[in-house]
């Protein structure tokens, strides 16, 4: 099994996301991306004392703890494992007090077949948005906002692609996740197999493997590939 890959798509506008998540927009103008890669700027939803509620903000993908010497650490911390996120020094403070939602359209994984790798795109079949469970932190004197996506063991049909997946949160769980506190076991439970039936596993072309490629063609079905 290949390591969990750090690529996903997020294409909705500031207006769309503030409406969807009932948030105040304090983010930079968002650019649609069909090939988000580590250290890219990404949208997130977090709680703000100043605005007394949810805000749409922008963060660098790859959480950098406050004690880190430089931002380079973040490239290795794009994901936080659900099994250890409440315990590890790097993530535990953010899990306790600085949780966020990371809006996405879908995510990519690769399956190796001999020497070849086949890319797959996981996305709701009906085009609904996704919200990944995330963590955020502010680093350095300029308070650079950084974030990680929480991952969990894959469930149901998604195990055919990878043994890990992002922790996807349905709308009814957003408030609890953002609130802080709470029981880790309840907060970190994955979607059920029935809920995940709504996720389409879509074989796509190899061009997504190059971070310089970025366009809607990256998520189109590759008709030459047979799904499993």
């Amino acid at each position: 099994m290949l390591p969990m890959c750090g690529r996903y798509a997020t294409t909705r506008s500031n207006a769309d996301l503030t409406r969807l998540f009932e948030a105040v927009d304090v983010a930079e103008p968002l650019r649609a991306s069909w090939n988000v890669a580590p250290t890219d700027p990404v949208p997130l939803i977090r709680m703000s004392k100043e605005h007394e509620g949810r805000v749409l903000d922008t963060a660098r993908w790859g959480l950098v703890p406050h004690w880190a010497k430089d931002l380079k650490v973040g490239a290795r911390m794009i994901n936080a494992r659900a099994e250890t996120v409440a315990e590890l020094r790097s993530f535990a403070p953010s899990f306790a007090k600085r949780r966020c939602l990371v809006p996405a359209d879908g995510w990519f994984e690769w399956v190796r077949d001999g020497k070849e790798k086949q890319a797959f795109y996981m996305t709701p079949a009906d085009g609904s948005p996704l919200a990944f469970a995330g963590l955020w932190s502010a680093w350095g004197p300029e308070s650079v906002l950084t974030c990680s996506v929480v991952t969990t063991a894959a469930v149901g049909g998604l195990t055919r692609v990878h043994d890990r997946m992002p922790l996807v949160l349905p709308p009814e769980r957003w408030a609890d996740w953002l609130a802080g506190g709470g029981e880790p076991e309840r907060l970190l439970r994955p979607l059920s197999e029935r809920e995940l039936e709504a996720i389409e596993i879509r074989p796509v072309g190899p061009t997504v493997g190059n971070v310089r490629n970025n366009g809607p063609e990256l998520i189109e079905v590759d008709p030459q590939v047979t799904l499993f």
Side-chain angles (χ1 to χ4, degrees):
M1 186 67 70
L2 296 172
M4 184 168 182
C5 189
R7 302 287 180 82
Y8 71 97
T10 181
T11 65
R12 287 175 168 79
S13 67
N14 293 60
D16 289 341
L17 293 177
T18 52
R19 181 170 57 250
L20 175 65
F21 291 96
E22 299 179 342
V24 175
D25 186 2
V26 299
E28 301 171 5
L30 300 174
R31 297 178 60 184
S33 178
W34 291 267
N35 199 0
V36 177
T39 75
D40 282 353
V42 298
L44 59 77
I45 306 296
R46 63 180 180 86
M47 298 301 292
S48 167
K49 290 183 179 179
E50 179 183 353
H51 294 277
E52 299 181 340
R54 300 176 187 178
V55 295
L56 169 66
D57 212 335
T58 312
R60 188 178 189 267
W61 187 22
L63 189 141
V64 181
H66 70 88
W67 43 262
K69 293 183 179 180
D70 59 55
L71 284 169
K72 294 180 182 179
V73 170
R76 303 192 303 272
M77 299 180 66
I78 60 170
N79 295 327
R81 293 176 66 91
E83 296 86 346
T84 56
V85 68
E87 304 167 2
L88 290 182
R89 177 185 177 218
S90 301
F91 298 118
S94 290
F95 177 71
K97 298 180 180 179
R98 294 184 295 276
R99 299 196 292 257
C100 63
L101 302 170
V102 180
D105 300 344
W107 74 96
F108 296 95
E109 295 293 355
W110 279 257
V111 173
R112 187 182 295 279
D113 182 9
K115 295 183 178 180
E116 302 296 322
K117 292 190 298 182
Q118 173 59 50
F120 290 90
Y121 180 61
M122 276 59 65
T123 187
D126 64 0
S128 299
L130 294 172
F132 299 154
L135 312 172
W136 67 273
S137 184
W139 181 85
E142 297 182 356
S143 295
V144 178
L145 208 65
T146 65
C147 69
S148 288
V149 171
V150 179
T151 67
T152 188
V155 177
L158 294 183
T159 59
R160 296 177 295 175
V161 177
H162 205 280
D163 60 354
R164 306 291 297 176
M165 59 176 279
L167 177 58
V168 177
L169 298 177
E172 61 269 21
R173 292 175 58 185
W174 293 352
D176 281 349
W177 180 258
L178 292 172
E183 293 295 327
E185 183 176 349
R186 177 176 58 84
L187 292 165
L188 294 166
R189 71 185 188 278
L191 294 179
S192 67
E193 290 190 28
R194 183 175 181 180
E195 289 173 309
L196 283 171
E197 289 177 358
I199 301 293
E200 173 189 357
I201 303 174
R202 182 185 302 175
V204 296
T207 53
V208 68
N210 188 330
V211 296
R212 289 174 292 184
N213 297 326
N214 200 327
E217 69 279 0
L218 298 182
I219 65 171
E220 294 177 358
V221 174
D222 185 342
Q224 301 181 39
V225 178
T226 301
L227 182 60
F228 307 111

